[in-house]
Amino acid sequence: MDVIATVAGFREARARYPRLGVVPTMGFLHEGHLSLVRQAKQECGAAAATIFVNPTQFGPREDFSTYPRDMERDLALLRDLGTDLVFAPDVAEMYPPGYAIGVEVGGVTDVLEGAVRPGHFLGVATVVCKLFNITQPTRAYFGQKDAQQTVVIRKMVRDLDMPLEVVVCPTVREADGLAMSSRNTYLAPAERQAATILYRALRAAQARHAAGERTAEALRHVLRTTLAGEPAAATEYVSVADRETLRELETVPPQGALLSLAVRIGRTRLIDNIIVGG
């Protein structure tokens, strides 16, 4: 496994592989990331992971400085999977002096996460665009847990005619339903138990939809009231939205809807989602 820190070095190594599946990450890897690497390796024959905690997608009061990092552990996990390449640049390599370009994806970044984290998706789209240009993937793999991110990236790839396929894989969950996330390590034991409320709320709304409910506000009410039953949970938003535009719905159509939420458990901010119908 080649671990490369420079753009030039990665491009030289990349030339050895006719097809390459790429998994962009911010490190502190868990089974969700590793499942993407396995799929990339299986489908493309060769797999690369990128490890870069991107400062431009963090707000001024967010957790960039404390975001969990463990490069040695990450590399050991990737090596065990037979990963071919790892791109692990520093900030100066990605954003050299004088860097002044941003990629803004319109239409799907001003709601949900974009509404409560101004500038977040400008940072996400910019760094992912750069990573795609550097790694030249045949396919790029992302998890459904970051649903809005996948919509933004797919739109960027489509609108900029990038020659790759974006593959979105199911959310990987703990046994009790909590979506795997690097930020789960912030949770104290009691908070970790309380955090299961996110998936329980989504499942409650999913059950209501399966029973025939199609009024979006009724499903939002299920999400809110279920979350309200956990004293440790502070709800930021709940949403029943169109899967492509991310706009809030009045009625769930036959093609289904994205149910999503953002909740704070103590100081830890967690997101999750499921798709109903379709």
Side-chain angles (χ1 to χ4, degrees):
M1 184 177 78
D2 293 327
V3 182
I4 303 162
T6 67
V7 173
F10 192 92
R11 284 179 170 159
E12 181 179 356
R14 169 67 180 89
R16 302 197 299 265
Y17 301 94
R19 291 170 55 82
L20 185 68
V22 172
V23 180
T25 84
M26 292 204 300
F28 209 73
L29 304 181
H30 52 68
E31 179 56 31
H33 300 113
L34 302 181
S35 68
L36 300 179
V37 175
R38 289 190 197 96
Q39 187 164 338
K41 181 84 172 178
Q42 179 181 6
E43 294 181 354
C44 298
T50 70
I51 300 176
F52 179 63
V53 183
N54 176 39
T56 66
Q57 70 189 67
F58 288 80
R61 292 179 295 279
E62 295 184 346
D63 58 340
F64 173 71
S65 62
T66 59
Y67 192 85
R69 297 163 169 87
D70 191 338
M71 183 65 75
E72 184 175 344
R73 171 182 168 275
D74 289 346
L75 294 179
L77 290 169
L78 292 170
R79 192 173 289 110
D80 287 347
L81 291 183
T83 308
D84 299 277
L85 300 172
V86 176
F87 181 50
D90 61 19
V91 173
E93 184 71 11
M94 291 297 285
Y95 301 111
Y99 184 90
I101 297 294
V103 178
E104 186 166 358
V105 180
V108 292
T109 58
D110 59 344
V111 295
L112 303 177
E113 291 296 286
V116 296
R117 302 180 68 188
H120 171 67
F121 285 114
L122 176 64
V124 168
T126 300
V127 76
V128 173
C129 181
K130 285 176 65 66
L131 290 171
F132 286 172
N133 286 336
I134 294 162
T135 63
Q136 296 291 296
T138 308
R139 292 177 172 176
Y141 295 79
F142 297 87
Q144 172 64 27
K145 185 184 80 69
D146 297 299
Q148 186 172 11
Q149 174 177 274
T150 68
V151 172
V152 170
I153 291 168
R154 277 180 159 164
K155 180 172 174 57
M156 178 184 73
V157 166
R158 182 174 62 250
D159 289 0
L160 294 181
D161 302 307
M162 293 181 171
L164 67 121
E165 180 184 354
V166 176
V167 180
V168 179
C169 302
T171 300
V172 177
R173 300 183 180 277
E174 304 285 359
D176 59 8
L178 180 66
M180 290 190 178
S181 169
S182 300
R183 288 186 169 97
N184 290 350
T185 59
Y186 296 158
L187 298 167
E191 293 173 334
R192 169 64 183 78
Q193 178 58 38
T196 61
I197 193 63
L198 278 78
Y199 191 51
R200 285 188 278 133
L202 290 168
R203 289 296 302 272
Q206 182 183 46
R208 183 68 64 86
H209 177 270
E213 181 62 71
R214 295 296 180 268
T215 303
E217 185 54 35
L219 299 180
R220 293 185 199 102
H221 179 73
V222 173
L223 293 171
R224 292 190 197 100
T225 55
T226 307
L227 291 169
E230 172 51 66
T235 303
E236 285 198 357
Y237 66 77
V238 301
S239 170
V240 179
D242 183 277
R243 295 170 60 180
E244 298 297 324
T245 69
L246 303 180
R247 300 296 162 178
E248 294 300 317
L249 295 167
E250 293 186 3
T251 303
V252 177
Q255 60 266 35
L258 176 70
L259 276 56
S260 64
L261 41 73
V263 178
R264 287 191 181 273
I265 306 290
R267 295 186 175 183
T268 305
R269 186 176 186 276
L270 301 173
I271 61 172
D272 201 353
N273 69 87
I274 58 174
I275 293 169
V276 296

